[in-house]
Amino acid sequence: MGTTCCQLSIFCSLGVSDWIELTAIIVNMGLTYWIVKTIQNKLTNKRVLKDHFINEIKDIRNEYKSCLNNLYSSNTHPQRVIPWFKLMNIRVNDIMILINEKYKIDIKKLEPYQNELRELVTNNNDFIAQFKNEKIAFSEESRSELIKFQQTYHKLFNELIIGINDSE
């Protein structure tokens, strides 16, 4: 009981300036907590959005990689190639519009995959000659062109991921 009275007497003996300082400390603690939570939530939301876009880019990269591997290994039905390119163009356009709006990254960054690769495949003599076949078998020359395309443009996906990561 004596300890409680002693503690109460400490509060009773505080002057006006002490109460103002105590109130200021409590208010500052509340403001600090609020600011930290607000900034932390904002940073978390930014990171989640960046991770989402990065995962979308990785998925697109894997789709193109799979397509190129199937083409290279003669494991593709030629009549499915053109619709696949159309669907991928829609997907790439949609994500690149959002990435451009949010991070100011060039909307045409993946254009070689959207246009040059499509032209490389669909204008290829092997593709045209075997369009009605069940599978398409590319010549060594055509396979070399596909490999050269990959060597030249595969870096675009990594550049895009770095651009998203480095953006504010």
Side-chain angles (χ1 to χ4, degrees):
M1 181 82 167
T3 311
T4 307
C5 288
C6 184
Q7 290 171 344
L8 287 176
S9 68
I10 292 173
F11 283 112
C12 293
S13 67
L14 293 177
V16 174
S17 64
D18 294 328
W19 281 106
I20 292 172
E21 284 184 42
L22 186 61
T23 304
I25 290 171
I26 292 170
V27 168
N28 282 337
M29 285 174 41
L31 281 173
T32 302
Y33 176 79
W34 178 74
I35 289 170
V36 167
K37 284 302 265 182
T38 302
I39 291 172
Q40 188 175 25
N41 285 340
K42 194 172 187 178
L43 290 175
T44 299
N45 289 342
K46 282 183 177 183
R47 185 72 248 163
V48 167
L49 186 60
K50 284 181 178 185
D51 288 343
H52 168 72
F53 284 132
I54 288 169
N55 286 333
E56 284 292 314
I57 296 304
K58 287 178 180 179
D59 286 345
I60 290 169
R61 177 179 60 190
N62 288 337
E63 288 282 335
Y64 277 113
K65 183 179 178 182
S66 177
C67 174
L68 285 164
N69 286 340
N70 287 335
L71 289 169
Y72 190 80
S73 63
S74 303
N75 204 15
T76 301
H77 192 283
Q79 294 177 358
R80 293 185 185 146
V81 171
I82 294 171
W84 182 86
F85 275 116
K86 287 180 183 179
L87 289 173
M88 286 304 292
N89 279 344
I90 291 168
R91 186 173 178 195
V92 169
N93 284 338
D94 287 347
I95 196 74
M96 291 307 296
I97 287 169
L98 294 172
I99 289 172
N100 175 264
E101 287 173 2
K102 187 70 179 164
Y103 304 114
K104 306 298 182 233
I105 293 174
D106 184 11
I107 200 165
K108 296 179 180 182
K109 187 76 169 171
L110 295 178
E111 210 168 69
Y113 278 89
Q114 293 179 277
N115 296 325
E116 289 180 41
L117 180 59
R118 183 189 67 232
E119 296 298 317
L120 179 66
V121 172
T122 59
N123 289 340
N124 183 284
N125 291 333
D126 298 329
F127 180 83
I128 294 167
Q130 299 175 50
F131 186 75
K132 298 274 187 200
N133 296 355
E134 186 67 29
K135 301 277 183 185
I136 183 168
F138 283 105
S139 66
E140 281 303 315
E141 181 182 332
S142 297
R143 288 180 184 176
S144 293
E145 289 176 7
L146 292 173
I147 289 172
K148 184 178 177 185
F149 177 86
Q150 279 184 295
Q151 288 173 336
T152 304
Y153 295 113
H154 184 74
K155 67 182 179 185
L156 296 178
F157 293 104
N158 289 332
E159 290 173 359
L160 191 51
I161 290 169
I162 291 168
I164 292 169
N165 241 349
D166 288 348
S167 296
E168 288 297 314

